[in-house]
Amino acid sequence: TLVNASASENAATVTQNGDNNDSTVGQNGISLTATVLQDGDDSDSTVTQSGDGSSASVTQSGLNQSATTTQAGFDNNSGISQTGVNNTANVSQDGTGNNSTVTQSGDNGFVVGTSLVFVDQIGVDNGSTVNQVGDGPNTVDVSQNGISNRSTVLQLINDGFGNAATVDQTGNGNASTVTMGNVLFSDRNTVSVTQEGNTNTSFVTVNGFDNDATVEQLADDNLSTIIQQGTGNIADVSQSSNGNSS
């Protein structure tokens, strides 16, 4: 365990139970808070924070988990919770008032899996929620650049093995919800959402095998809803003017 804090009113708490766990906390700023709990074996956690008023928490209960949180700016919040085996979360936030929550459970009783999450938020008041429950490797990659964007990615109890979701929002006030495996067991599905304008909304729900959903909304005030259930479905939505609905 390595804790390094400079400036004033920073706090770091690290609790380790198990064997061969490693935790590094580095803080440089004012009123920064880091909390790390490792309850298992061979897990690794790194928290790096600069700026004022940000907080980070990491909870690991399992085996061979890795979590990295990097925050720069003001009043950002990151929470990572990992259970199971071989989960990886990498969260980087730069700006003011951004919030990220990652929950991973890598082993749901079918096979031992690896879940990968990458969240990169640059801007103000962006919010990202990722919940992975099924076996992996599942992959989520969320990047938001702007003001007040919201992203939710849910890979649930019936989601496993080879699924991936990518969300990229640039602009202000965009909202994206991706749900995979909430009804049927799902595998080898891909989802890609890109929203580059303002106040666009996207809903994607995928259940089944080998489905592909792509959403691209490049203007303002657009709405897209995709629901896929079955095998081998392809949906491609592209909206480049304002106020469309599909």
Side-chain angles (χ1 to χ4, degrees):
T1 300
L2 175 63
V3 177
N4 182 16
S6 61
S8 63
E9 299 180 4
N10 298 312
T13 302
V14 177
T15 304
Q16 295 174 311
N17 299 304
D19 298 323
N20 300 316
N21 295 305
D22 183 66
S23 175
T24 301
V25 177
Q27 299 186 126
N28 184 5
I30 299 173
S31 298
L32 301 169
T33 302
T35 304
V36 178
L37 172 61
Q38 295 175 313
D39 189 0
D41 298 329
D42 299 310
S43 293
D44 180 78
S45 171
T46 301
V47 176
T48 304
Q49 298 188 114
S50 62
D52 298 344
S54 295
S55 65
S57 67
V58 176
T59 301
Q60 297 174 312
S61 177
L63 184 66
N64 297 126
Q65 296 164 333
S66 177
T68 301
T69 301
T70 303
Q71 298 190 128
F74 303 90
D75 300 317
N76 296 301
N77 295 284
S78 171
I80 298 174
S81 177
Q82 298 174 315
T83 61
V85 180
N86 295 328
N87 296 310
T88 300
N90 185 340
V91 177
S92 177
Q93 299 188 130
D94 188 351
T96 301
N98 297 299
N99 292 275
S100 171
T101 301
V102 175
T103 304
Q104 297 175 296
S105 176
D107 182 1
N108 192 42
F110 298 104
V111 295
V112 174
T114 299
S115 299
L116 301 172
V117 175
F118 307 96
V119 178
D120 179 17
Q121 295 181 313
I122 300 175
V124 178
D125 187 40
N126 294 302
S128 171
T129 300
V130 176
N131 186 4
Q132 294 179 315
V133 180
D135 299 302
N138 298 313
T139 302
V140 176
D141 182 359
V142 177
S143 177
Q144 297 179 311
N145 186 343
I147 300 173
S148 298
N149 296 300
R150 298 290 183 267
S151 171
T152 301
V153 178
L154 307 175
Q155 294 179 320
L156 299 176
I157 191 70
N158 295 300
D159 178 69
F161 306 115
N163 293 302
T166 299
V167 178
D168 180 16
Q169 297 179 313
T170 301
N172 304 321
N174 297 300
S176 170
T177 300
V178 176
T179 304
M180 309 175 80
N182 65 322
V183 177
L184 301 175
F185 184 78
S186 299
D187 191 15
R188 301 186 304 274
N189 299 299
T190 61
V191 175
S192 176
V193 178
T194 301
Q195 297 178 313
E196 294 190 1
N198 301 311
T199 59
N200 296 298
T201 302
S202 171
F203 298 97
V204 178
T205 302
V206 179
N207 285 281
F209 298 86
D210 301 306
N211 298 299
D212 182 82
T214 302
V215 179
E216 186 178 71
Q217 300 189 125
L218 304 180
D220 300 335
D221 301 313
N222 294 299
L223 171 65
S224 172
T225 302
I226 295 175
I227 300 174
Q228 294 178 318
Q229 185 164 311
T231 301
N233 298 298
I234 298 175
D236 190 347
V237 175
S238 179
Q239 300 185 134
S240 58
S241 58
N242 298 330
N244 297 297
S245 178
S246 70

